[in-house]
Amino acid sequence: MSHSNNRLPLASPADLLTAVPYLLGFHPTDSLVLVGLTGPRVVVASRTDLPAPGDVTEWAEAMHPAQLRLLRNAAATRAITIGYGPAAAVTGVMDTVTPRLTAAGIDVLDALRVTDGRYFSYLCSEPACCPADGVPFDPHRSNVTMHAIVAGCHALPDRAALVASIAPATGHARATLTRATARARARRRALTTSEGPDGLIRAGEEAVRAAFARYADEQVLSDDELAWLTVLLPIPAVRDAAWLATDSLPWHTALWADITRRVHPPLAAPPATLLAFAAWRRGEGALASVALDRALTADPTYTLAQLIDQALRAGLPPSVLDR
C-alpha cells in the first residue's frame, strides 16, 4: 500500500506502532509489517502473514524480491520492520529479513517486535530506551491516533473485519436485490433488441452519471437503480466510463463499497474492482486488496482486477493505470 503524502507525526517507536493500523486499515496480528521511508516521510507500508518457524528461509527467499520492488517503486531508501506475535514466531523472521534488506542497500532504522501490548527492539539494547522486558504502549491512545481520526482515517480490528465490511449482503436485502437484478436483466434484453449495443452503452453511461450524482449528494441508489447499473457495468465501455469518473474522493470509495456490498454476487467483479481502484487512489491498500479478492472470486479472469492486483503487489502508484 502506498502513502506518498503521509504526514502523521511520528516521533518514537510507539508513535509508529500506533500509526500502523491507520496505514494498513486494520490492526495486524501474526504479521510482518514493512514500513518504507524516504527521509522522514512514510511512503509505503505492507503486511504479510508470518511464516511457520520451519519455513522462514524458504519464505524469505520468495518474499525478498517483492519487498525490494515495493520499496524501490516507492523510492524508499530506509525501512522499519515490525513483527507482530510471540518471540518464537518473530525472531527468526527478523534475523533473516533484516540482513537481507541491509545487503540490498536499504537502511534499516529499527526492527521491532510487538507482543502483548509491548514492543521490543532487535537493534537497540540500551536499557534506558529499550529495556529487556519491552516498552508498554497503548495503540488506541496517542496524538497519532487523534491525528489519524481527524484526518478521516480509520482502522478496523483486523483484516477479517475489513473483509466483512464489503461482504455480500444477506437475508432480505440480498433477496430483494436478486429480484431487482432479474428485472434489470429483462430490461437489458429488451433494450438490446430495440436499440442494440450502442443503446446499451448510452444507458450504461447515463446510469454511471446518475450514480455519481446520487452519492455526491450523500444518498444511495435504490435496489432497481443499483441492479440496472450492475447489469450494464460488465460492458467494457460502461465500466471504463465509471473507471474514468473514479478518483480519490472519500465518497467515491463509499459509492463503490455500497455497490460492492449490495450487488448480486455473480456481478461483483466490475464494482469490486472499481472499489479497489478508488481505495488504491486514496492509499488504502488493505481495502483495495480485499476488494480485489471479491472481484477475483466473482470472476478469476477479470483483466482489470488482475492488473490492479499485480500493480499493488509491486508497490506501483495508481497513476500507472491512468488514461
Side-chain angles (χ1 to χ4, degrees), residues 156 158-168 261 290:
L156 291 167
D158 53 28
R159 193 175 192 275
L162 200 60
V163 172
S165 75
I166 60 164
R261 277 190 299 269
V290 298

Side-chain angles (χ1 to χ4, degrees), residues 69-165:
R69 282 197 303 271
L70 190 75
L71 294 171
R72 287 171 177 160
N73 286 334
T77 57
R78 314 165 86 194
I80 298 170
T81 55
I82 310 165
Y84 290 81
V90 173
T91 300
V93 172
M94 292 302 192
D95 288 347
T96 303
V97 168
T98 303
R100 286 172 180 259
L101 291 173
T102 301
I106 301 297
D107 181 13
V108 179
L109 300 178
D110 210 342
L112 302 170
R113 170 168 55 87
V114 177
T115 308
D116 296 332
R118 291 175 173 266
Y119 70 82
F120 305 76
S121 174
Y122 288 97
L123 300 186
C124 171
S125 57
E126 292 291 332
C129 59
C130 304
D133 58 351
V135 180
F137 76 101
D138 183 350
H140 303 288
R141 293 181 65 84
S142 82
N143 291 335
V144 171
T145 305
M146 185 56 63
H147 182 93
I149 292 169
V150 170
C153 301
H154 65 282
L156 291 167
D158 53 28
R159 193 175 192 275
L162 200 60
V163 172
S165 75

Side-chain angles (χ1 to χ4, degrees), residues 261-273:
R261 277 190 299 269
R262 294 167 58 197
V263 65
H264 184 50
L267 297 175
T273 301

Side-chain angles (χ1 to χ4, degrees), residues 14-323:
D15 281 345
L16 174 63
L17 295 172
T18 305
V20 163
Y22 299 95
L23 298 174
L24 298 177
F26 60 94
H27 291 268
T29 56
D30 299 316
S31 302
L32 174 71
V33 171
L34 178 66
V35 178
L37 303 95
T38 299
R41 186 160 53 95
V42 174
V43 292
V44 72
S46 70
R47 186 212 70 89
T48 54
D49 291 335
L50 289 174
D55 298 335
V56 171
T57 301
E58 182 180 354
W59 171 88
E61 289 175 354
M63 286 298 302
H64 185 61
Q67 290 174 332
L68 286 184
R69 282 197 303 271
L70 190 75
L71 294 171
R72 287 171 177 160
N73 286 334
T77 57
R78 314 165 86 194
I80 298 170
T81 55
I82 310 165
Y84 290 81
V90 173
T91 300
V93 172
M94 292 302 192
D95 288 347
T96 303
V97 168
T98 303
R100 286 172 180 259
L101 291 173
T102 301
I106 301 297
D107 181 13
V108 179
L109 300 178
D110 210 342
L112 302 170
R113 170 168 55 87
V114 177
T115 308
D116 296 332
R118 291 175 173 266
Y119 70 82
F120 305 76
S121 174
Y122 288 97
L123 300 186
C124 171
S125 57
E126 292 291 332
C129 59
C130 304
D133 58 351
V135 180
F137 76 101
D138 183 350
H140 303 288
R141 293 181 65 84
S142 82
N143 291 335
V144 171
T145 305
M146 185 56 63
H147 182 93
I149 292 169
V150 170
C153 301
H154 65 282
L156 291 167
D158 53 28
R159 193 175 192 275
L162 200 60
V163 172
S165 75
I166 60 164
T170 58
H172 178 71
R174 171 83 161 268
T176 57
L177 209 290
T178 299
R179 291 192 291 270
T181 302
R183 292 191 295 270
R185 283 172 164 158
R187 181 181 171 190
R188 174 177 164 155
R189 287 193 296 272
L191 185 62
T192 303
T193 301
S194 63
E195 298 191 29
D198 288 347
L200 278 183
I201 292 172
R202 286 194 297 272
E205 290 172 342
E206 176 54 37
V208 168
R209 285 193 292 271
F212 274 78
R214 183 71 55 82
Y215 286 83
D217 198 32
E218 298 186 0
Q219 301 179 50
V220 301
L221 296 176
S222 70
D223 287 344
D224 281 310
E225 291 167 334
L226 187 143
W228 181 234
L229 173 64
T230 57
V231 301
L232 297 173
L233 274 177
I235 300 168
V238 176
R239 190 277 317 278
D240 289 350
W243 181 14
L244 289 170
T246 299
D247 207 331
S248 57
L249 294 171
W251 64 267
H252 287 190
T253 304
L255 181 162
W256 293 118
D258 183 54
I259 294 171
T260 296
R261 277 190 299 269
R262 294 167 58 197
V263 65
H264 184 50
L267 297 175
T273 301
L274 291 164
L275 170 59
F277 184 67
W280 186 27
R281 291 196 75 97
R282 284 184 58 76
E284 297 181 19
L287 176 58
S289 175
V290 298
L292 289 171
D293 286 348
R294 276 228 48 201
L296 292 169
T297 298
D299 182 357
T301 67
Y302 199 62
T303 304
L304 182 59
Q306 292 173 335
L307 285 171
I308 295 176
D309 187 47
Q310 291 166 7
L312 268 175
R313 291 176 188 278
L316 298 173
S319 58
V320 298
L321 291 185
D322 284 353
R323 294 172 296 283

